[in-house]
Amino acid sequence: MNDFIDVLIVGSGISGLRAALEASKYSDNVKIISKLPVMRSHSVSAAGGINSVSVSHDSLNSFIADTIKGSDYLADQDAVSILVNHTTEEIKYLESIGVNFDKSDKAYSANKLGGAEFSRALNSSSQIGLSIMQRLYEEVKRNDIQILENWHVLDLIHKDGTCYGLIAFNKDHNKIKAFFSSIVILATGPAGHIYSNTTNSTNCTGDGVAIAYRAGAYLKDMEFVQFHPTSLIGSNILITERARSAGAYLFNKNGERFMTKYAPSSLELAPRDIVSRSIINEINDGFGLKDSKYDDYIELSFTHLSDSVLNEK
Ligand SMILES: Cc1cc2nc3c(=O)[nH]c(=O)nc-3n(C[C@H](O)[C@H](O)[C@H](O)COP(=O)(O)OP(=O)(O)OC[C@H]3O[C@@H](n4cnc5c(N)ncnc54)[C@H](O)[C@@H]3O)c2cc1C
């Protein structure tokens, strides 16, 4: 069967491209299938940074501890450990394929983001997602990994607990086709658009979770959805956490810096779930600002920051 594929990856965001490059070390018959053109994957929007131990007084153990603490001790600690222990080599890999991380005097310039004891978030001219996507995409092309774009995967082909491939709909030609593969990897991104308020793009509809569920997979931890605390009212375009890292304050309608109440030491840089919950608490308690067109909101203020901080950040 000529069409048989060794490894078929659904999704061409950072996860899908990276998985394809890794799989291509073991097979020259790896393909990516995606409902979008590569550079429209949501990964291009990531702007806050990618965490890695980069300052001398930081350590992998501290990174692991912050991550577990930030999860209210609910995270799978083995998974956290694997994630953190691979970051240094992954940053080196990304550099090796051409991602330019911001540096000052040859040392990484890292920002301190929410829930982190040390500055860890590396960036690339404020466009970390775009930068990584561009380099991974180039690398995928250089390795001759075929990308099938505009194919919307509908379901897996499976029998008795074994997956044999998938069924997909081609949006350009209105046709449905079966793809057969020994290994299918779902890298279909987030599901933010099942909620009315989200900073995810409209393509983030949780398809992979639904596809796996329909095929009989067990789902776990479905309640762990991160809501980014700050976005533009109306459009929900994300205001990156670097704004709070640079010193922006959150105020309620009485001009109170309410994070002093919820997280007295970390304030606006508490983990995102704490900041998001605090904002919603303030609004639900009647302390939100009013707008004639939109729901009540909270103010993110930069007015106390100097021009040089604003320009630099
Ligand atoms: C605004 C914003 C900013 C962020 N900033 C940061 C940050 O600074 N640092 C950080 O670490 N994280 C950040 N995140 C989170 C991070 O961007 C995501 O976790 C990551 O990009 C997800 O990558 P992905 O490859 O899993 O998904 P995506 O990039 O969303 O890719 C999903 C892929 O799956 C494909 N797909 C989906 N369904 C189907 C289907 N049915 N059939 C075929 N293909 C399908 C899509 O076409 C797409 O190619 C941010 C998230 C948001 C929303």
Side-chain angles (χ1 to χ4, degrees):
M1 214 186 312
N2 285 340
D3 281 349
F4 199 86
I5 302 161
D6 281 348
V7 184
L8 180 56
I9 292 144
V10 188
S12 57
I14 286 180
S15 317
L17 298 180
R18 184 67 187 90
L21 286 165
E22 200 60 25
S24 71
K25 290 182 188 166
Y26 306 94
S27 164
D28 56 8
N29 184 10
V30 175
K31 286 189 172 59
I32 297 171
I33 186 165
S34 186
K35 69 180 178 182
L36 298 172
V38 173
M39 293 309 285
R40 285 196 50 217
S41 296
H42 194 59
S43 293
V44 297
S45 316
I50 181 169
N51 272 354
S52 171
V53 170
S54 49
V55 291
S56 57
H57 37 291
D58 196 3
S59 68
L60 291 174
N61 280 345
S62 173
F63 187 176
I64 289 172
D66 282 350
T67 309
I68 291 168
K69 200 169 149 204
S71 75
D72 289 340
Y73 301 92
L74 295 170
D76 176 334
Q77 301 198 1
D78 292 335
V80 172
S81 190
I82 290 169
L83 174 82
V84 169
N85 285 322
H86 279 81
T87 49
T88 309
E89 70 186 81
E90 203 55 31
I91 295 295
K92 285 204 173 82
Y93 169 75
L94 291 173
E95 277 193 312
S96 77
I97 62 167
V99 176
N100 280 320
F101 291 102
D102 299 337
K103 288 189 177 164
S104 152
D105 291 336
K106 293 191 181 160
Y108 293 113
S109 306
N111 284 307
K112 188 168 185 246
L113 297 187
E117 194 183 344
F118 298 104
S119 297
R120 267 184 210 128
L122 310 185
N123 217 314
S124 178
S125 305
S126 306
Q127 296 184 313
I128 187 66
L130 179 64
S131 203
I132 293 175
M133 280 292 290
Q134 282 169 333
R135 303 323 311 171
L136 289 176
Y137 188 20
E138 285 303 315
E139 204 56 15
V140 161
K141 285 191 278 190
R142 201 176 65 77
N143 281 273
D144 288 328
I145 298 171
Q146 192 187 354
I147 305 180
L148 307 160
E149 290 180 335
N150 292 334
W151 283 92
H152 192 123
V153 174
L154 303 172
D155 265 316
L156 298 176
I157 302 167
H158 62 96
K159 193 172 180 215
D160 300 331
T162 302
C163 177
Y164 297 97
L166 52 82
I167 308 279
F169 170 72
N170 184 286
K171 300 196 279 184
D172 296 327
H173 307 292
N174 281 343
K175 68 172 182 183
I176 288 182
K177 185 174 182 268
F179 293 84
F180 294 96
S181 178
S182 333
I183 298 172
V184 174
I185 298 177
L186 295 174
T188 50
H193 261 272
I194 62 172
Y195 297 94
S196 53
N197 278 315
T198 177
T199 52
N200 284 186
S201 78
T202 48
N203 298 306
C204 300
T205 43
D207 301 14
V209 175
I211 287 167
Y213 182 68
R214 284 197 296 272
Y218 292 110
L219 305 181
K220 63 178 273 201
D221 297 339
M222 295 305 290
E223 71 278 30
F224 293 117
V225 174
Q226 182 186 94
F227 289 90
H228 196 283
T230 52
S231 68
L232 291 178
I233 189 165
S235 66
N236 273 328
I237 291 173
L238 185 140
I239 302 176
T240 168
E241 189 160 334
R242 278 181 302 128
R244 282 172 287 124
S245 172
Y249 294 156
L250 288 164
F251 290 122
N252 65 18
K253 73 170 184 189
N254 297 329
E256 288 162 353
R257 198 177 161 199
F258 57 86
M259 285 310 297
T260 53
K261 205 164 54 184
Y262 299 99
S265 52
S266 45
L267 299 161
E268 282 83 358
L269 281 185
R272 289 178 187 173
D273 61 316
I274 295 177
V275 181
S276 294
R277 268 200 307 276
S278 307
I279 290 172
I280 289 296
N281 272 346
E282 289 295 299
I283 291 173
N284 288 346
D285 288 349
F287 296 119
L289 289 91
K290 297 276 175 209
D291 184 275
S292 55
K293 200 163 161 205
Y294 302 109
D295 292 340
D296 294 359
Y297 67 97
I298 284 300
E299 196 173 69
L300 180 69
S301 175
F302 302 83
T303 52
H304 59 288
L305 297 176
S306 67
D307 286 353
S308 62
V309 169
L310 291 174
N311 289 334
E312 188 196 330
K313 299 285 179 181

